Amino acid sequence: MRILLVEDEVRLSQALVEIFQKNRYGVDAVYDGKEGLRYARSGIYDVIVLDIMLPGMDGISVLRTLREEKNSVPVMLLTAKDDIEDRVKGLDCGADDYVTKPFSTDELLARIRAISRRKGDVKNTTLSYGDLALDKGSCALQKVDGESIKLSLKEFQIIELLFENPKQIIKKEVIIEKIWGGDSDAEYNNVEVYISFLRKKIEQLKVNVQIRTARGIGYSLEEKL
């Protein structure tokens, strides 16, 4: 899952970024509403955590604009305000949930998981394709009913993307946007390096699944012929 965090309190933003990364989520953080809207329009995010009080453009205006543009990305409003009118206004504008500061990080993570599931996120902690499985809880690749191999964060995020779209070619630029972020300096060779790592681990498991290369385009998860 990739999260866009739009929060102008730098310390809070940095703390949340660390929490999200520890939970194996990709995250991009921006600090004003106009930049948040620009990032959100990219369409690469699974959830947006959006503060209401923002410089440049307030969170409600960002949310309203996204919904007017038919962007249905799940949005969690994060704000210091606890007035009932603010909650109602945010939810009426299309927010999926609302958390007030201070908040429990465990509750925030649980709510993020909940709103992502409403939009079709996989409920199971294990994804499988052919005789290969990805255990999202332990961050490991495994042969069905067999041995497993731990993955690094980037390896996990890339293979999860392939598992969620089996037999579909995922373009290299999409992988970069989803895993590294739209403004990252990552290049195609960064993707190629991690694909190489993943292939070696898949080969160690001796399964009938492979990462196939669409030359010049991207990669897909396929069963061997």
Side-chain angles (χ1 to χ4, degrees):
M1 180 171 14
R2 186 156 200 92
I3 297 172
L4 173 62
L5 173 62
V6 191
E7 167 60 65
D8 65 326
E9 293 182 37
V10 176
R11 288 186 178 180
L12 175 59
S13 177
Q14 291 173 339
L16 287 174
V17 166
E18 185 175 344
I19 290 167
F20 293 149
Q21 290 177 338
K22 283 184 178 179
N23 283 270
R24 299 188 292 277
Y25 297 148
V27 57
D28 291 322
V30 296
Y31 304 99
D32 69 78
K34 289 184 178 179
E35 191 76 343
L37 180 60
R38 184 176 74 84
Y39 271 65
R41 281 171 166 162
S42 70
I44 68 171
Y45 299 101
D46 301 295
V47 172
I48 297 176
V49 177
L50 178 66
D51 190 21
I52 286 183
M53 299 299 292
L54 292 166
M57 185 179 190
D58 67 86
I60 295 295
S61 296
V62 172
L63 175 61
R64 185 182 292 116
T65 301
L66 288 173
R67 296 310 188 229
E68 288 173 353
E69 294 174 353
K70 309 301 181 185
N71 189 324
S72 61
V73 60
V75 174
M76 166 75 67
L77 288 180
L78 185 64
T79 177
K81 292 187 175 183
D82 57 4
D83 191 283
I84 188 64
E85 291 183 9
D86 293 312
R87 299 190 183 200
V88 171
K89 187 176 182 181
L91 293 170
D92 282 346
C93 285
D96 294 85
D97 206 346
Y98 192 116
V99 173
T100 56
K101 306 171 190 176
F103 54 84
S104 158
T105 55
D106 286 342
E107 180 184 6
L108 177 65
L109 290 170
R111 287 176 177 269
I112 287 173
R113 290 193 296 270
I115 64 173
S116 69
R117 285 197 297 269
R118 292 175 204 162
K119 297 301 179 180
D121 195 35
V122 178
K123 293 184 179 181
N124 297 327
T125 59
T126 300
L127 302 177
S128 61
Y129 178 69
D131 56 352
L132 182 66
L134 176 66
D135 189 327
K136 298 169 70 173
S138 63
C139 196
L141 267 180
Q142 61 186 44
K143 187 174 184 177
V144 174
D145 298 325
E147 64 177 302
S148 65
I149 298 177
K150 294 285 287 185
L151 302 174
S152 70
L153 177 59
K154 285 289 189 295
E155 290 170 347
F156 171 82
Q157 292 172 329
I158 291 171
I159 198 67
E160 181 184 33
L161 186 59
L162 295 174
F163 262 100
E164 289 175 344
N165 302 277
K167 296 190 288 187
Q168 296 182 37
I169 298 172
I170 308 299
K171 294 181 179 180
K172 291 180 181 179
E173 53 264 37
V174 172
I175 295 175
I176 290 174
E177 287 182 348
K178 276 278 190 181
I179 308 306
W180 279 271
D183 288 344
S184 169
D185 293 329
E187 299 178 349
Y188 286 172
N189 66 313
N190 296 93
V191 179
E192 292 162 4
V193 166
Y194 281 100
I195 290 292
S196 176
F197 292 159
L198 284 166
R199 281 177 169 153
K200 289 177 181 177
K201 291 185 175 181
I202 290 173
E203 287 173 4
Q204 288 180 47
L205 293 173
K206 295 181 173 59
V207 293
N208 194 43
V209 175
Q210 63 182 340
I211 296 175
R212 188 183 300 276
T213 299
R215 191 172 298 278
I217 303 174
Y219 305 94
S220 59
L221 197 65
E222 306 264 358
E223 289 190 89
K224 295 177 182 178
L225 299 176

